[in-house]
Amino acid sequence: MIDAALESGDEGKVRTVIELARETNPDAGEELDKILAQYERDLAKDQLYAAQQKEAEIRNAGLFDNWSGEGQLGAFRSTGNSSNTGITAGLKLERVGIDWRHKLTGLVDYQETNGVTTREQFLAAYEANYNISDRLFAYGLGQYERDTFQGFSARYSASGGLGYRVIDTDAMQLAVKAGPAFRQTEFTGGASDSSLAGLAALDFDWRIAENLKLTEDASAFVQSGNSTYVSTTGLSAGLGGGFSASISYTVEHDTNPPLGAVQTDTLSRVTIIYDF
């Protein structure tokens, strides 16, 4: 039985069989200890080799290798500067290296009624993280937004600073970051504004069950004139085959929006997500 368990390569099975053998053959304890010790040495060698192979693959990967991500498509309901229902589409890409992590995000909300655009919101962002230690990292962020119903045709944001992974387990991750930022806003009326700001943000993921995940992404650009606070809470359930269904609720608050715009927008999304 022990030989069969060893050949299976299943660590749990090997340890269980050895413990059963120990209970049924108490006089063979010394021999079983030797078998277990040799198994653990072989297992450590195999794990070290696998880790070295994985690291070599990551270091030798090309620019377009080792990307993973998700695409989503669905519907939204908005309140605030516009009250309507439309389509939403998004894409997230991530590449994790030895010291670097790259993240690309794109999101579009759009609606057209009787030939007239009644909702048009775009967001594109790129973020790079460099690991200073297991939990501490430096980040650089570039972001573009467009929302004519909030009063701006383009808003560019750039920020750099430090982040920390407060929780980093298989089931739960929480990362926070903060740093100085620069923002430039081009208003729909033709004027523009540039200012220094501060960015604080958090990213929380909690796998409640195997097929159920709760997420919370929040950020605050604090500056003189107009500060922006955004919170997105989401819940997704796995459907199998890489697909999941998601509901999310976003609140965006500008402390001093352009003339004619209200301070707070909300957006409820129902989407189908495909992981790849």
Side-chain angles (χ1 to χ4, degrees), residues 167 171-176 201-208 213-218 232-234:
I167 303 173
M172 185 180 296
Q173 300 87 41
L174 171 62
V176 296
L202 69 83
D203 182 356
F204 176 69
D205 295 328
W206 178 22
R207 188 163 294 282
I208 303 171
K213 183 170 72 170
L214 175 70
T215 61
E216 172 64 34
D217 297 297
T232 299
T233 304

Side-chain angles (χ1 to χ4, degrees), residues 49-239:
Y49 177 75
Q52 291 173 338
Q53 288 293 102
K54 183 177 180 179
E55 180 175 338
E57 289 175 3
I58 293 174
R59 292 190 182 279
N60 296 324
L63 179 63
F64 300 103
D65 296 331
N66 293 341
W67 287 91
S68 61
E70 64 178 41
Q72 62 173 310
L73 182 64
F76 71 83
R77 173 67 181 173
S78 67
T79 65
N81 286 288
S82 62
S83 180
N84 46 48
T85 302
I87 60 172
T88 183
L91 179 66
K92 292 182 180 180
L93 296 173
E94 184 176 58
R95 186 177 191 266
V96 179
I98 303 300
D99 297 315
W100 288 90
R101 180 191 303 262
H102 302 271
K103 293 185 284 188
L104 290 166
T105 304
L107 189 62
V108 178
D109 298 306
Y110 183 82
Q111 186 195 40
E112 186 175 293
T113 304
N114 297 325
V116 178
T117 300
T118 54
R119 180 77 182 186
E120 185 184 44
Q121 185 177 27
F122 302 95
L123 182 145
Y126 166 70
E127 181 177 340
N129 296 162
Y130 177 77
N131 294 325
I132 299 173
S133 66
D134 288 343
R135 292 182 178 268
L136 183 66
F137 63 91
Y139 78 89
L141 171 68
Q143 183 172 289
Y144 164 80
E145 300 167 86
R146 173 183 171 88
D147 191 338
T148 55
F149 290 89
Q150 272 190 289
F152 59 89
S153 56
R155 182 159 64 189
Y156 305 93
S157 305
S159 177
L162 294 175
Y164 189 77
R165 298 181 184 93
V166 181
I167 303 173
D168 191 9
T169 66
D170 291 339
M172 185 180 296
Q173 300 87 41
L174 171 62
V176 296
K177 64 187 178 189
F182 175 78
R183 304 184 85 194
Q184 179 174 329
T185 304
E186 298 176 0
F187 300 102
T188 53
S192 64
D193 176 72
S194 300
S195 62
L196 293 175
L199 170 65
L202 69 83
D203 182 356
F204 176 69
D205 295 328
W206 178 22
R207 188 163 294 282
I208 303 171
E210 183 178 356
N211 293 319
L212 189 65
K213 183 170 72 170
L214 175 70
T215 61
E216 172 64 34
D217 297 297
S219 64
F221 281 98
V222 181
Q223 65 188 71
S224 62
N226 181 39
S227 298
T228 302
Y229 303 90
V230 181
S231 171
T232 299
T233 304
L235 185 66
S236 62
L239 302 176

